[in-house]
Amino acid sequence: MRDFDLGKLCVVGGLLLLACSDNGSVGAVPDTGIGTNQPDATIEVDSAPEPSTPLAKVWGATALEDMNPDAKIVEVNLAAANYDWDFEGHTVKMFAYNGQLPGPLLQANVGDKIIVHFTNNLEEPTTIHWHGMRIDNEMDGNPRVQDPVQPGETFTYTFDAVEAGSFWYHPHVNSHEQVDRGLQGSIVIHESQPPAYDTERFLIFDDILIDPATGILPGFLKSHGEEMHGRFGNRLLSNGLSSDKLAATAQKGEVERWRIVNTANARTMTFKLDGATFRVIGSDGGLLPQPYTTNYLQVAIGQRYDIEVSYDKAGTVKLLNLIPTATNDGKVKLVEYSALKVEVADSTNEPREVQLPVVAELPAREIDQTVDVELSGQTDAQGHIAWTINGKVNAEEFLFTFKKGSTIKMRLKNLAGPEHPFHLHGQFFTIVDQKTMETSQPGLKDTVLVPGMSTVEIIAFMDNPGRWMAHCHILEHAALGMMSELVVEE
Ligand code: C2O
Ligand code: CU
């Protein structure tokens, strides 16, 4: 049991969760208006399945229609466009994939080929990044590799589903606005022998900053607080609904798989489950060799978790999002917001044990090289913040060049107060466990949270050749310079 203490969280007011200190090279945050701020060489891969068992139905998202009769090829159409979103009695100007917010589910079996015919019906350029999938470099949506898709134009993304797991997709151009306005969708790559759960659910957790009187989203990157901490929402969203509206039903004795992703621009989320038991069975890189239990599940932006939920009694089960909130006496208390509610009907059944596929132990690889990645920031004379990686704002030159197959220890050093969810494209890594909520996260990862004024170490497996983005997934930080690329040479 991982037993964490949430005593140290802090806040700056309203529905907001912020890192504690603002020391370091960037100044303090003023309050700003509405909602404010605030095994040996390679990783083993699940082998390809026989053709073609129907894919498990995933609750919570509409699956894209596979137009290709070949059992090993998934071929879909996806279009991004402006979208009028009906929210709290307002028509909110958003963007959507295929008119759905969040976007539709892309699913395939591990080993399948995926073809996505993408059309950009937005009034601005965009790309799609398949977050967490280790695919070919040209298909990764990096706007420095792929010319962004211009308004009215199309692009065909073709890639292989190399690993089974839970992933997500989103744009990589003007991301802090495009993702915030709704361009985000779920990806499930099913195992060749998927465990037989009663129900599989995909849960996309987000937040949005909205003027409750008008339904207008405030201008992007217009406040110091947003530059400092990223854009914190004043409304929590679950699968595109106000989070307290997402509800489901089940029966006592059933066992489910929930796939969770945090797609917020800036908010780390911490969950607990009331009324049922759960354990963690998967992370960014798919199912874990050893499932584990934990009292709190911290999900940094971009990270995924697969949890197994067992209904051992009837009643209301709630997944609660714990939001640190300032009280009048200057203290911080955790306010619980429902992220998903399940009404569990009574039955005589007890939860059964669901057989999980055997997952290879994580690779124990010798470290070839250790590098430092310094996450910091600077403020100009007007008080605007630029965020840096190894001293560079939006570095043009490559951060590092590694050989394919090398194992790199990266010391991620956060030299300032705000936290940074660091994301590496195209590769997996493991986190060196320091017995903290941010680091006691087993399994293959592509995103790790580096708290303010601290160092987190990861062991990255540079197995996928190409030039890969390495950046902060607080999308405002990335927009303000915390963006770099590294190269993995053949
Ligand atoms: Cu999910 Cu480069 O991002
Ligand atoms: Cu950051």
Side-chain angles (χ1 to χ4, degrees):
M1 174 80 171
R2 285 174 162 73
D3 200 7
F4 298 108
D5 172 16
L6 293 184
K8 308 187 307 277
L9 295 169
C10 7
V11 116
V12 177
L15 175 62
L16 2 135
L17 162 56
L18 298 170
C20 292
S21 50
D22 281 324
N23 39 9
S25 54
V26 274
V29 194
D31 203 10
T32 56
I34 84 165
T36 356
N37 273 331
Q38 265 331 327
D40 65 349
T42 47
I43 295 167
E44 264 177 61
V45 161
D46 194 0
S47 60
E50 294 299 305
S52 133
T53 40
L55 299 174
K57 191 156 165 26
V58 180
W59 179 96
T62 314
L64 286 162
E65 189 197 343
D66 177 7
M67 307 174 300
N68 194 306
D70 188 322
K72 309 289 291 167
I73 302 176
V74 170
E75 187 165 3
V76 299
N77 287 324
L78 197 64
N82 291 341
Y83 179 68
D84 285 340
W85 184 45
D86 184 8
F87 186 72
E88 293 186 353
H90 298 290
T91 302
V92 185
K93 294 287 172 206
M94 300 286 272
F95 302 148
Y97 289 118
N98 290 11
Q100 295 173 43
L101 193 155
L105 167 72
L106 173 63
Q107 61 173 347
N109 281 316
V110 66
D112 286 357
K113 176 189 270 309
I114 296 175
I115 302 168
V116 179
H117 300 283
F118 173 63
T119 305
N120 180 11
N121 291 325
L122 300 168
E123 284 147 26
E124 61 184 71
T126 191
T127 62
I128 307 181
H129 170 54
W130 316 92
H131 181 125
M133 295 188 75
R134 297 195 309 157
I135 60 177
D136 283 349
N137 198 212
E138 311 78 68
M139 295 293 147
D140 192 51
N142 177 349
R144 299 182 188 183
V145 172
Q146 174 201 353
D147 287 334
V149 188
Q150 296 301 320
E153 294 192 344
T154 61
F155 185 83
T156 300
Y157 289 94
T158 307
F159 50 90
D160 293 330
V162 180
E163 270 97 19
S166 306
F167 307 99
W168 64 298
Y169 60 94
H170 64 77
H172 231 300
V173 174
N174 190 24
S175 321
H176 64 290
E177 177 167 356
Q178 291 190 6
V179 176
D180 197 59
R181 285 195 187 273
L183 294 180
Q184 40 177 277
S186 46
I187 303 174
V188 172
I189 306 301
H190 296 275
E191 292 89 16
S192 52
Q193 251 116 43
Y197 288 105
D198 292 299
T199 305
E200 244 188 70
R201 306 187 193 274
F202 209 112
L203 302 169
I204 295 188
F205 297 128
D206 192 5
D207 69 356
I208 193 155
L209 182 60
I210 197 161
D211 182 334
T214 62
I216 291 173
L217 308 191
F220 288 81
L221 278 175
K222 293 278 189 283
S223 74
H224 185 73
E226 203 162 303
E227 290 188 8
M228 174 69 79
H229 293 287
R231 187 177 178 102
F232 274 73
N234 54 358
R235 293 290 185 280
L236 295 169
L237 301 178
S238 295
N239 289 359
L241 298 172
S242 189
S243 68
D244 56 339
K245 297 222 162 59
L246 189 66
T249 56
Q251 273 210 346
K252 178 176 166 249
E254 289 181 339
V255 187
E256 302 187 343
R257 177 179 190 167
W258 295 2
R259 301 170 183 266
I260 293 172
V261 60
N262 174 357
T263 65
N265 279 38
R267 182 186 298 279
T268 301
M269 299 189 191
T270 307
F271 297 96
K272 76 170 193 193
L273 188 66
D274 263 11
T277 57
F278 81 100
R279 58 177 188 157
V280 179
I281 58 167
S283 185
D284 295 356
L287 291 175
L288 296 167
Q290 306 289 341
Y292 64 91
T293 58
T294 180
N295 55 345
Y296 297 114
L297 188 69
Q298 182 194 62
V299 188
I301 299 156
Q303 287 186 325
R304 284 86 61 213
Y305 275 99
D306 284 23
I307 66 172
E308 177 190 87
V309 176
S310 301
Y311 300 116
D312 31 30
K313 53 180 187 287
T316 304
V317 170
K318 271 188 181 177
L319 183 68
L320 296 166
N321 195 345
L322 308 176
I323 305 292
T325 305
T327 59
N328 290 336
D329 54 359
K331 299 223 172 65
V332 173
K333 74 167 198 281
L334 291 170
V335 179
E336 300 178 343
Y337 290 84
S338 177
L340 169 67
K341 204 182 325 165
V342 186
E343 292 304 337
V344 180
D346 205 3
S347 88
T348 53
N349 300 331
E350 294 300 328
R352 69 206 150 83
E353 196 168 319
V354 173
Q355 198 63 45
L356 288 168
V358 176
V359 179
E361 283 297 328
L362 298 180
R365 297 178 14 172
E366 209 136 307
I367 292 164
D368 297 304
Q369 195 183 339
T370 298
V371 298
D372 285 350
V373 178
E374 292 188 353
L375 308 171
S376 192
Q378 59 206 35
T379 308
D380 71 13
Q382 283 70 45
H384 287 297
I385 301 172
W387 291 101
T388 59
I389 299 181
N390 285 359
K392 302 268 168 29
V393 179
N394 246 318
E396 291 291 332
E397 59 275 45
F398 296 122
L399 188 61
F400 302 109
T401 300
F402 300 120
K403 280 252 164 320
K404 182 181 169 202
S406 60
T407 302
I408 308 295
K409 178 187 267 194
M410 302 178 93
R411 291 195 293 230
L412 308 174
K413 300 184 167 178
N414 185 346
L415 305 181
E419 60 185 14
H420 302 292
F422 179 82
H423 172 47
L424 178 58
H425 285 212
Q427 327 289 336
F428 286 131
F429 54 78
T430 58
I431 304 174
V432 176
D433 190 356
Q434 302 169 340
K435 306 287 174 216
T436 60
M437 209 167 350
E438 294 77 19
T439 60
S440 199
Q441 300 193 353
L444 295 172
K445 315 288 289 192
D446 53 62
T447 308
V448 59
L449 187 63
V450 188
M453 305 303 290
S454 62
T455 298
V456 167
E457 295 184 342
I458 59 173
I459 314 287
F461 309 117
M462 301 295 177
D463 293 340
N464 192 10
R467 50 189 280 190
W468 300 101
M469 301 176 107
H471 65 90
C472 179
H473 222 294
I474 290 181
L475 297 173
E476 293 74 19
H477 289 179
L480 295 175
M482 199 168 263
M483 171 62 70
S484 66
E485 283 179 298
L486 54 79
V487 180
V488 177
E489 285 180 343
E490 278 284 2

